[in-house]
Amino acid sequence: MRSDVALEDALVRTSFRVMAVLTRIGSEHDLSLTQLRVLGLLRDRRPRMTELAAFLGLDKSTMSGLVERAERRGLVARGKSAEDRRAVDVFITPAGHELAERVQEEVRATLAPLLDRLRADERRLLTGLLDSLSGGGTADTRGVTGTLPVNGP
């Protein structure tokens, strides 16, 4: 059991380090950690507001405020769902996509020295292990976990 404690400690230390990077880079672009997550999620999805709120663990009014602030910055937009005209989808704008790409590149560059400590085979192994833990199945580097429906923009 002692190895589980060491593993948990290592995961927590690593998550703190990654969260610090995300928080710092996000703040440099006037984005909160939650706003970063929203942009990351919307890069290849067009979820309903309710789905996005549930995924992020936010109530409807908090989600609406978050989306409204991002809309004012021109990063996201809302539109009627093609599947259900009563529902509202959220999607990333070209400006939001450009910012998300820029932030992702900064995150990659910041984490590169940490990852460069590993050999290529160790990085592949770690990717597979982390995907197993997060329920992923691919080496998606967008910083999100869980699943949301994928509806093209």
Side-chain angles (χ1 to χ4, degrees):
M1 282 301 195
R2 181 66 189 143
S3 65
D4 287 345
V5 172
L7 175 60
E8 291 162 3
D9 286 348
L11 281 171
V12 168
R13 283 191 313 274
T14 302
S15 68
F16 285 169
R17 190 170 199 170
V18 171
M19 296 297 272
V21 168
L22 293 172
T23 300
R24 180 184 56 76
I25 291 172
S27 70
E28 290 171 359
H29 294 279
D30 196 29
L31 296 168
S32 69
L33 195 52
T34 303
Q35 290 167 324
L36 277 179
R37 290 181 69 203
V38 168
L39 289 180
L41 288 165
L42 295 179
R43 284 174 54 183
D44 62 357
R45 296 168 179 87
R46 186 178 169 142
R48 293 182 179 159
M49 280 282 287
T50 54
E51 293 167 337
L52 190 56
F55 183 81
L56 293 169
L58 300 173
D59 63 42
K60 185 179 173 182
S61 64
T62 301
M63 188 76 244
S64 292
L66 187 69
V67 169
E68 186 176 311
R69 287 187 297 281
E71 275 182 310
R72 282 196 302 263
R73 289 184 62 183
L75 303 176
V76 304
R78 291 183 255 201
K80 294 218 181 274
S81 171
E83 298 169 1
D84 180 354
R85 289 292 188 198
R86 297 168 296 169
V88 176
D89 289 347
V90 183
F91 56 95
I92 196 165
T93 64
H97 188 68
E98 188 276 327
L99 179 58
E101 290 294 322
R102 193 168 0 125
V103 166
Q104 184 63 43
E105 285 305 314
E106 290 176 31
V107 169
R108 281 187 186 116
T110 303
L111 293 178
L114 178 67
L115 299 175
D116 286 347
R117 296 178 191 172
L118 301 173
R119 296 184 319 261
D121 62 318
E122 291 173 324
R123 287 193 300 273
R124 282 190 299 275
L125 176 61
L126 181 58
T127 298
L129 293 170
L130 291 173
D131 278 343
S132 292
L133 287 177
S134 69
T138 63
D140 190 310
T141 58
R142 295 188 181 139
V144 297
T145 59
T147 59
L148 276 174
V150 177
N151 302 324

